[in-house]
Amino acid sequence: MGLLTGKRALIVGVASNRSIAWGIAKSMRREGAELAFTYQNEKLRGRVEKFAGEAGSEIALPCDVAEDAAISNVFDRLSEHWPHLDILVHSVAFADRELLEGDYLGSITREGYLRAHEISAYSFAALGKAARPLMQGRDAAMLTLTYIGAVRAMPNYNVMGVAKASLEANMRYMAADLGPEGIRVNAISAGPIRTLAASGIKGLRGFLNHVEKVSPLRRNVTIEEVGDVAAFLCSDYASAVTGEITYVDCGYNATGSDGLE
Ligand code: NAD
Ligand code: 0WE
């Protein structure tokens, strides 16, 4: 019997076979969950349909999280397939690329700030609000993905770090709301991984090399390792864990050796 046998999970944020959401989908599938997926736009539709098929799923629904109607439509359509939902995985972030370079104050704009927060933080609350009715009475779980840039000022991460701080606070407020209903809400703070969202980021190679050099495990984390922790956090083995951030970063966050030879 798998960790997630009999559970149904909606995965938001698959864009490629390198996506963290895909690592999570693979682990959840292996542990017996039934899966459904969303895709951001028509460009990604075919790819996500193929990934859904590989994961034994026939459910791939459009959802641009910037659109209220798209969010409510996902749960309307999902409820035609499934009477309930047990797991919601939110693996979405976006900021305009120009804001992820150089000085925070040098690059920040009102528009860029609002956009980053809308897509990367508000969307978790919006999806959680829309998923809530389907998750009643289920020992259900919601999960989001964050980064250490929420709690430390990291070079170039800039407005995304501020949005991740908001995302982490959202996660705690959602956990407080939904705990009495039996719904747990958690976050994984993953180490840097070369995904689509990370490719083309100036200095990503430097971040990866740095973690390899100074993290206790002396290497970087994989999407499969993030997936396994996600499966655990959304399983009944984690039934007393909510409002928590679990670092899956080869121990990087626990070190203080930066800058030493
Ligand atoms: P990815 O590019 O594979 O996934 C990002 C996803 O966000 C894509 O599927 C994209 O379609 C989706 N997205 C963006 N804007 C959207 C919108 N308006 N509507 C719907 N979907 C939208 O990259 P990833 O690295 O797997 O990122 C997933 C999550 O993991 C993000 O929250 C990211 O911040 C977080 N994270 C990534 C790393 C890393 O180093 N890669 C580390 C820690 C946390
Ligand atoms: O959360 C992220 C990246 C999220 C992201 C990535 C992009 C690239 C393409 C959000 N918006 C965009 N917008 C785009 O146009 N990570 C944790 C990965 C990441 O991003 C960094 C990092 C790391 C690590 C940005 C600067 C420095 C390090």
Side-chain angles (χ1 to χ4, degrees):
M1 230 232 351
L3 235 51
L4 299 174
T5 300
K7 291 200 189 275
R8 292 179 165 130
L10 177 66
I11 314 281
V12 179
V14 175
S16 79
N17 63 350
R18 293 183 169 195
S19 290
I20 293 174
W22 180 239
I24 293 173
K26 287 191 292 178
S27 292
M28 289 191 169
R29 179 65 184 159
R30 185 193 67 225
E31 295 303 328
E34 248 188 277
L35 306 182
F37 295 83
T38 67
Y39 52 89
Q40 183 187 350
N41 50 43
E42 280 306 304
K43 211 183 97 197
L44 290 172
R45 179 189 188 138
R47 258 195 270 175
V48 173
E49 284 176 348
K50 184 186 77 94
F51 287 122
E54 281 179 37
S57 169
E58 289 186 345
I59 312 176
L61 305 167
C63 187
D64 181 335
V65 298
E67 305 290 336
D68 289 339
I71 292 174
S72 66
N73 184 53
V74 167
F75 294 95
D76 287 348
R77 292 196 43 199
L78 193 63
S79 65
E80 294 167 9
H81 296 268
W82 292 348
H84 324 271
L85 179 66
D86 301 291
I87 296 169
L88 171 68
V89 175
H90 171 273
S91 186
V92 171
F94 181 79
D96 292 315
R97 188 182 291 270
E98 313 87 76
L99 275 62
L100 301 176
E101 276 176 33
D103 209 57
Y104 172 63
L105 292 178
S107 64
I108 197 67
T109 61
R110 185 186 300 272
E111 272 225 317
Y113 186 98
L114 292 174
R115 183 74 177 160
H117 283 70
E118 179 186 25
I119 304 303
S120 313
Y122 172 71
S123 65
F124 187 43
L127 287 166
K129 180 173 177 141
R132 184 183 199 171
L134 277 176
M135 297 179 103
Q136 294 300 310
R138 302 288 309 160
D139 293 332
M142 301 183 185
L143 182 72
T144 189
L145 274 298
T146 185
Y147 181 61
I148 193 171
V151 293
R152 317 264 180 84
M154 308 289 280
N156 301 318
Y157 200 60
N158 298 349
V159 73
M160 268 310 307
V162 182
K164 289 299 194 190
S166 168
L167 176 69
E168 292 182 1
N170 264 282
M171 181 275 294
R172 288 186 287 271
Y173 276 89
M174 290 164 66
D177 280 354
L178 298 175
E181 299 168 20
I183 306 170
R184 298 179 298 103
V185 188
N186 290 291
I188 287 176
S189 186
I193 303 177
R194 190 173 289 285
T195 60
L196 274 187
S199 69
I201 295 287
K202 257 198 197 152
L204 182 80
R205 177 42 53 197
F207 276 76
L208 291 166
N209 288 344
H210 183 63
V211 169
E212 207 171 293
K213 200 164 146 204
V214 309
S215 69
L217 298 182
R218 300 288 192 275
R219 63 177 179 83
N220 283 285
V221 68
T222 66
I223 61 167
E224 287 78 13
E225 290 175 310
V226 175
D228 286 350
V229 175
F232 159 71
L233 285 173
C234 293
S235 80
D236 297 340
Y237 283 99
S239 54
V241 181
T242 195
E244 184 73 347
I245 297 166
T246 302
Y247 281 80
V248 183
D249 67 346
C250 298
Y252 177 77
N253 77 92
T255 65
S257 59
D258 287 29
L260 296 179
E261 272 308 300

